[in-house]
Amino acid sequence: MVETGTDRVKRGLAEMLKGGVIMDVVDPDQAKIAEEAGAVAVMALERVPADIRKQGGVARMSDPTMIEGIQAAVTIPVMAKCRIGHFAEALVLQSLGIDYIDESEVLTPADDDNHVDKWAFTTPFVCGARNLGEALRRIGEGAAMIRTKGEAGTGNVVEAVRHMRTVTSEMRAIASMDADQLMAAARDLKAPYELVKEIAETGKLPVVNFAAGGIATPADAALMMGLGVDGVFVGSGIFKSSDPQGYARAIVEATTFWNEPEVVAKVSRGLGEAMPGLEMETLSEAEQLARRGW
Amino acid sequence: MTRVGVLALQGDVREHIHILESLGVEGIPVKKPEELGEVDALVIPGGESTTIGKMAVRFGLLEPLRTAVGEGLPVYGTCAGMILLASAVTDGDQPLIGGLDVVVKRNAFGRQNESFEASLDVLGLAEPFQAVFIRAPWIEKVGSDVDVIAAVDDHPVMVRQDSILASSFHPELTQDGRIHQMLLEMV
């Protein structure tokens, strides 16, 4: 019997992206630059997070015409974002044949209580998380891939580091617990017990986990890989830099050779200006995208 | 102990290493040309074939890989790995290792929504294999020295030529080591 949309098939595509870089692109030309640089997938969206931040207003799913243009331009997987809880946008993306749907805090949430029931879809979902509880709630809803939220559009990696370190230390704590402590841990994390139990047994998340939100340089990518992520999303970091081709290629190479500083040094030489960065202290709570989603 | 390398430029390297280790051999990530000389067989994993090919070119691995495959190092490619071992792809222009006399069509079954798993008959295995296909390629044209050992709707999805084995599906996403065992039997 032939089965589509199984857990293994949905989670499996994320396994194939490991060790790679997924790049935000806003048109077919950018998508081609990303593919040429060696991206494993592209994220099709109308504005990169730095512009969403600057321009404000409600950020929504992209125009299907623009998404289809990008699908036609490249052979690598194409992802796209829907608003948190906006199952109608998610269904549209599924009907377009998007390879992964990002239910993303970078767009303005459509539901301030619930996320999309992702089990109901054939297309797999990736969701952001700041900590283990949030990651396990998303997996409980059917997410087949997780990414740290970081703070998108800032070019500042500090939040991505915080979120990854939080997830890792919470997993270590669970792995060291006795079986009779796991229900209390699930209560405290507000996470499904079965998934907490699985982490106690395996010591790792049941799905692939990428870094996102603030990665702007090859060394940022190497840093996140060194913290144990499976790969990286780069949003504004490529096309808001002074040399998109150069940055795209260098970040891909630094992600593969993250544990070889000579290679990271080599690819970092003479790259020119990275995207402009923002200090977290300059952002009000309302401007912090990572606080969206629950 | 038999040492099996897994090309580790990108892709599901860890899953291959796990399944190799469950078969009692050593699984070693290979990123550099010199590491290629230290292995008895090689797996080219699933991943994004255009990324793996480009990285192999940029980091000086493509020629050493061609030489190793040409000299008869037993090699098994899954999905992206099958594409990279093919002598040609039907469209696009991407770096290939070659060695396997087939023409491969990338994403032949479709996009992710068409990705599937199915019970597959594989020549040489007594019981069917639960095969996971992810944006999978199929083989469009087979050379005369190539044996087709599995097919879906008449499209070859697993082939063998001398010491080269390739499948468009991912046995490493299952717990079933029978296909990796075929590679080990060539060592």
Side-chain angles (χ1 to χ4, degrees), chain A residues 6 8 18 123 253 256, chain B residues 10 15 31 58 113 117:
Chain A
T6 64
R8 199 146 52 179
K18 281 190 304 195
T123 310
E253 294 173 1
T256 298
Chain B
Q10 191 273 318
E15 285 61 35
K31 274 189 183 181
R58 290 180 204 166
N113 287 347
E117 47 183 297

Side-chain angles (χ1 to χ4, degrees), chain A residues 1-67:
Chain A
M1 202 180 84
V2 170
E3 282 181 288
T4 57
T6 64
D7 276 6
R8 199 146 52 179
V9 162
K10 287 158 90 170
R11 295 177 178 185
L13 176 56
E15 301 286 354
M16 301 310 144
L17 303 174
K18 281 190 304 195
V21 181
I22 300 165
M23 300 182 190
D24 279 4
V25 297
V26 302
D27 59 41
D29 288 340
Q30 290 191 351
K32 281 185 196 144
I33 290 172
E35 185 175 49
E36 193 47 46
V40 290
V42 291
M43 176 75 70
L45 73 179
E46 247 156 33
R47 295 180 285 171
V48 294
D51 289 332
I52 291 176
R53 194 174 275 296
K54 211 179 288 171
Q55 294 158 8
V58 173
R60 311 178 178 92
M61 179 187 77
S62 299
D63 184 329
T65 309
M66 170 270 181
I67 293 173

